Amino acid sequence: MPSASENQRRSRVRIVDILLAILVTLGILAYILDVLALRWGLSTTYIAKSYPNYLKAAWISLYVTTIAYFIGMGIGFVLGWARSVQTLPLARVMAARRREAVAAADGGSPGAGLFLGTVFVYSIKYYVRRTADAYVAIIRGTPLFVQIVFVWSAVIVFYPRLDPLFQGLLSGVIALTANTGGYQSEIFRAGIQTVHSGQVEAARAIGLSRWGAMRYIVLPQAVRLVIPPLTNEYIGLLKASSLLAVVGSVPELTTFGRSEAFQTFHIFEAFALVVGIYLLITFPVSKVVEWIERRYRVPGLGIQAPRTARV
Amino acid sequence: MIRVEELQKRFGALHVLKGVNLEVQKGEVLVIIGPSGSGKSTLLRCINLLIEPDSGRVFLDGTQVNRRDIRPEWVRQQVGMVFQSFNLFAHLTALQNVTLGPVRVLGTDAAAAEAQGRKLLDRVGLADKADAYPAQLSGGQQQRVAIARALAMNPKAMLFDEPTSALDPEYIREVLDVMAALARDGMTMIVVTHEMGFASTAAKRILFMDAGRIIEEGSPEEIFHRPKQERTRMFVGKILR
């Protein structure tokens, strides 16, 4: 274990490293800008004048992404939980019920209603799980671009009288939500399955219900494990929201940049702004999440400092 | 206090419990020994319904509890359990481990639960470790927190599933001392263990289990020194050496 002062020294080194890296990057960017602006005539006045409009477009990207992300998180959690549960074969469930019923009736014939009820509940559970599996397979097995185009086509064909902006927003949010829901369910499933089964057993042993064990024991541990992949998913989704450019009627960042480029012919300026703003959003997001991760880190849980060997 | 009649449990083709009967009086300490795979752990888990028995009856204070109309959670609140691998909640401090049950299951208010939790940690000799996380505690300390966690629910009885077999030798004593103190205070206990010292001093009765059945029952003296059954003699011979 490194000592506290050692840790401090290391973190100072890290800060210096990061600053250095940022300086070098900025230097390169400044050089590129210099080449573009002075030798190719990149218009700084255009950038200064129109960057507020780009920021406005970026807000739309952020709204759509964030709404889809959080609704998708609800879907992902439910699907992930459903897919993480181990189900027994129906034959064994039925055999257990039969033995139980025979024992309860003390030799008398058990009622058929009990068995029908068991089959009913069992089939619902079974098909919920299979449906979840199929959903995830479809979402992960097809391009997001196709999903967006499909939802959008469906919306404009079935609701042609809606405002085009609303049509675009609606199909964008639906497609992105469905997509991220599928991916997040895989993240949650992995997180839930990684929590040791002894934790659930201990939780049930003090009298917590299934949901109580999930809420107070499994989720808090699983969430700590899945924060990094969930962050990746958010950043990925934000970048994926640029695919909404195909819809055309939603003035999100990429769409706006494209139309500006074609209308004003300030192509390099437009895309410098678009790229810069994406970076401006994604970089702090990962930093903020890193901070959250440190803040809620618990000794012995999740990613640990390596003790001896590194891979 | 606890009575088990004709308990049967199968896991697929594996017949783990083949009709087990036992009874424990209030304040009694019952020790169960037997080779691994003999069904001891399954028997304990059937008593607090962590595992649903296939047939047979489990009684708690004279009430049959393995019935459809009785919530298993209600049974588990009253029968504490301590596991071989401790199973402390990894994301909670020692104190939070102890107070979670009272607050979330019994609805005790947080301040009262904390006061009780500190008292229980003091009782197992860990008052100064209240804010430590499980990964920062030794095995023996973790197991003592686990005992405090079970006690926090004010259980009528306690089940111990090989509480010392995952421990380094130097930590076994401290856990057994806590258990012995519990027994002296009149706690009803069913203990699966191979600690002969503990069994001899704390228990009046010992059950020997093998292949899903109770083979022999007797005082520690009888089981360890004058076993009647051949299988008991062979097993005891191996663990006493």
Side-chain angles (χ1 to χ4, degrees):
Chain A
M1 251 342 221
S3 66
S5 61
E6 170 82 348
N7 267 338
Q8 240 171 26
R9 195 182 62 80
R10 276 195 201 166
S11 72
R12 261 204 303 279
V13 169
R14 260 174 59 77
I15 289 168
V16 171
D17 285 346
I18 291 172
L19 286 177
L20 213 65
I22 290 175
L23 273 178
V24 170
T25 316
L26 283 180
I28 295 172
L29 280 179
Y31 177 74
I32 295 174
L33 216 64
D34 175 65
V35 169
L36 292 174
L38 298 178
R39 277 162 246 178
W40 292 7
L42 194 75
S43 162
T44 44
T45 49
Y46 170 79
I47 293 181
K49 183 171 62 77
S50 45
Y51 81 89
N53 296 330
Y54 282 84
L55 288 179
K56 232 178 275 168
W59 275 115
I60 295 179
S61 294
L62 266 179
Y63 277 136
V64 171
T65 306
T66 308
I67 292 171
Y69 182 75
F70 283 106
I71 303 176
M73 189 177 274
I75 296 173
F77 169 63
V78 173
L79 292 185
W81 189 4
R83 276 158 51 80
S84 73
V85 177
Q86 306 259 329
T87 42
L88 292 169
L90 179 59
R92 268 168 63 187
V93 176
M94 292 303 290
R97 285 286 160 280
R98 196 168 298 124
R99 278 197 295 272
E100 204 173 77
V102 169
D106 266 331
S109 78
L114 181 67
F115 294 134
L116 275 179
T118 307
V119 172
F120 184 65
V121 171
Y122 184 87
S123 345
I124 287 179
K125 281 186 186 168
Y126 181 87
Y127 284 107
V128 163
R129 225 189 127 192
R130 288 292 158 264
T131 311
D133 287 347
Y135 177 82
V136 173
I138 291 169
I139 291 293
R140 295 211 306 173
T142 56
L144 173 57
F145 191 71
V146 172
Q147 294 163 13
I148 291 172
V149 173
F150 166 64
V151 174
W152 177 54
S153 316
V155 167
I156 55 175
V157 168
F158 290 112
Y159 302 98
R161 262 188 284 262
L162 289 179
D163 177 54
L165 171 64
F166 186 71
Q167 281 175 337
L169 282 174
L170 187 68
S171 42
V173 168
I174 291 175
L176 289 179
T177 301
N179 184 271
T180 191
Y183 278 94
Q184 289 191 45
S185 89
E186 277 299 87
I187 296 174
F188 277 109
R189 184 178 64 84
I192 290 169
Q193 285 179 337
T194 308
V195 175
H196 195 268
S197 63
Q199 298 282 314
V200 181
E201 196 175 36
R204 304 300 306 272
I206 56 171
L208 281 171
S209 62
R210 222 172 239 265
W211 167 241
M214 175 52 74
R215 169 155 175 219
Y216 299 117
I217 307 303
V218 177
L219 255 191
Q221 295 186 36
V223 164
R224 283 178 173 85
L225 296 168
V226 300
I227 284 176
L230 278 183
T231 315
N232 276 344
E233 179 59 25
Y234 183 80
I235 292 173
L237 195 66
L238 177 72
K239 292 185 292 177
S241 74
S242 66
L243 291 175
L244 293 186
V246 71
V247 171
S249 61
V250 183
E252 50 82 41
L253 188 52
T254 307
T255 312
F256 183 75
R258 183 182 57 180
S259 72
E260 280 287 290
F262 290 160
Q263 280 167 22
T264 65
F265 296 112
H266 286 299
I267 294 168
F268 290 107
E269 292 85 344
F271 281 95
L273 276 166
V274 168
V275 169
I277 291 173
Y278 276 122
L279 275 174
L280 214 63
I281 300 171
T282 51
F283 189 68
V285 165
S286 50
K287 286 293 145 197
V288 167
V289 175
E290 255 175 48
W291 177 81
I292 293 175
E293 226 182 314
R294 264 201 308 278
R295 167 88 177 59
Y296 290 98
R297 181 165 294 165
V298 161
L301 200 68
I303 299 140
Q304 302 292 304
R307 282 191 195 159
T308 49
R310 282 173 189 273
V311 183
Chain B
M1 170 66 73
I2 292 176
R3 188 151 46 93
V4 170
E5 289 175 0
E6 287 304 320
L7 206 63
Q8 301 242 8
K9 180 70 196 177
R10 284 171 203 269
F11 292 114
L14 200 66
H15 203 170
V16 185
L17 296 177
K18 302 172 185 164
V20 173
N21 295 284
L22 67 82
E23 184 158 10
V24 187
Q25 303 300 327
K26 192 169 166 26
E28 191 190 355
V29 177
L30 176 71
V31 164
I32 302 176
I33 61 173
S36 65
S38 58
K40 299 164 301 196
S41 292
T42 307
L43 173 60
L44 285 192
R45 281 168 173 74
C46 282
I47 291 174
N48 71 352
L49 304 180
L50 273 179
I51 293 176
E52 196 183 348
D54 290 341
S55 66
R57 289 166 294 277
V58 179
F59 293 89
L60 180 64
D61 271 343
T63 318
Q64 189 187 343
V65 292
N66 60 330
R67 294 195 321 229
R68 294 254 109 185
D69 55 336
I70 287 188
R71 289 171 54 242
E73 284 84 4
W74 178 79
V75 181
R76 294 185 204 127
Q77 288 167 31
Q78 307 178 59
V79 183
M81 182 151 191
V82 175
F83 300 90
Q84 180 176 3
S85 47
F86 331 134
N87 295 347
L88 287 185
F89 305 132
H91 63 300
L92 299 178
T93 63
L95 183 63
Q96 289 167 337
N97 262 279
V98 178
T99 56
L100 184 103
V103 173
R104 299 297 178 198
V105 179
L106 303 176
T108 315
D109 74 76
E114 191 185 319
Q116 182 211 16
R118 289 192 187 278
K119 215 175 288 171
L120 284 169
L121 285 177
D122 188 43
R123 189 167 161 194
V124 297
L126 290 172
D128 54 329
K129 296 288 185 189
D131 296 322
Y133 285 96
Q136 297 167 324
L137 298 173
S138 74
Q141 290 169 336
Q142 288 190 53
Q143 193 60 298
R144 286 186 282 155
V145 173
I147 294 173
R149 172 176 71 182
L151 288 175
M153 299 297 290
N154 278 319
K156 291 178 174 160
M158 292 267 283
L159 311 174
F160 292 83
D161 186 13
E162 305 206 27
T164 57
S165 36
L167 292 176
D168 289 336
E170 74 243 55
Y171 300 130
I172 291 178
R173 184 81 267 148
E174 61 192 48
V175 172
L176 291 180
D177 286 346
V178 169
M179 288 166 61
L182 261 184
R184 276 197 303 278
D185 292 347
M187 175 59 76
T188 310
M189 293 160 67
I190 301 181
V191 185
V192 171
T193 185
H194 294 150
E195 291 296 329
M196 297 306 136
F198 174 82
S200 307
T201 50
K204 281 212 185 65
R205 253 188 332 139
I206 296 184
L207 297 184
F208 172 68
M209 262 185 98
D210 191 17
R213 287 204 174 82
I214 290 172
I215 305 293
E216 189 168 353
E217 174 182 341
S219 67
E221 166 67 16
E222 286 164 348
I223 296 286
F224 292 143
H225 301 297
R226 288 176 276 113
K228 295 189 198 76
Q229 302 289 329
E230 180 56 31
R231 270 191 282 179
T232 317
R233 197 168 332 181
M234 278 178 60
F235 179 75
V236 169
K238 271 182 219 153
I239 54 173
L240 281 184
R241 249 185 314 251

